[in-house]
Amino acid sequence: MKPINLKNPIHFLAVGFGSGLLNPAPGTWGSLVGLIVAIILWTATQSSIFFAILTLISFISGCYICNKTSQDLNVHDDGRIVWDEIVAIFLMFTYLPEYNLLGYVLAFISFRIFDILKPFPIRYFDEKLESGLGIMFDDILAAIFALISLHLLYYFT
């Protein structure tokens, strides 16, 4: 396994400011960093529009960031790359049904469940798409599935 160059800003972002280097479960650590950053940004902005724009910019740049880091490491979707988890959390903050501690915890847990289990079609796209888009897209789908489940939970309770 090739080492990550944390002095390289692309690698530093790809590994979620170093959170992707933590074991076990680097994706969970990356998601936690995304959650913390999102809570701070939500507290400052309280704007779904801000998060929609942030998600779009982070997704587009993430396709490059993840692809470049994968190429540098010679491994497609290296487990240490967690930028995709961070961006997925940003997407969730665009559409959360409730912005409070319980909503944040449920968002984190539901996203991790869908990201780990990868039900159809998430696993399909995870296996079929390549490059940075492939790395990013399955996490976006997991976030969408998590959001749907949260909205259903809030609707029926």
Side-chain angles (χ1 to χ4, degrees), residues 4-152:
I4 298 286
N5 178 3
L6 291 177
K7 292 180 182 177
N8 179 332
I10 300 297
H11 289 196
F12 185 67
L13 290 172
V15 298
F17 318 108
S19 62
L21 303 177
L22 298 173
N23 283 307
T28 299
W29 291 108
S31 298
L32 183 59
V33 165
L35 182 68
I36 292 167
V37 170
I39 290 170
I40 292 167
L41 292 174
W42 180 262
T43 302
T45 66
Q46 295 189 6
S47 171
S48 293
I49 294 170
F50 170 82
F51 271 91
I53 294 167
L54 177 64
T55 301
L56 182 62
I57 292 168
S58 299
F59 179 84
I60 292 168
S61 61
C63 289
Y64 172 77
I65 289 166
C66 295
N67 188 59
K68 175 69 173 133
T69 304
S70 285
Q71 288 176 344
D72 292 348
L73 299 175
N74 291 323
V75 178
H76 176 69
D77 205 359
D78 185 294
R80 298 171 292 178
I81 297 173
V82 296
W83 184 256
D84 47 336
E85 277 85 5
I86 292 170
V87 175
I89 295 292
F90 291 167
L91 173 62
M92 292 196 68
F93 266 70
T94 305
Y95 299 105
L96 280 181
E98 197 170 273
Y99 294 89
N100 58 30
L101 183 59
L102 178 61
Y104 304 152
V105 170
L106 290 174
F108 177 82
I109 292 169
S110 61
F111 169 69
R112 290 307 302 147
I113 288 169
F114 284 105
D115 189 34
I116 291 166
L117 296 179
K118 298 189 187 315
F120 182 83
I122 299 169
R123 183 171 308 280
Y124 173 82
F125 286 108
D126 182 48
E127 294 170 353
K128 298 297 181 191
L129 290 178
E130 296 184 8
S131 75
L133 177 63
I135 295 170
M136 296 293 298
F137 192 68
D138 69 296
D139 290 84
I140 294 299
L141 283 178
I144 291 168
F145 275 55
L147 281 166
I148 291 168
S149 69
L150 287 178
H151 280 274
L152 288 172

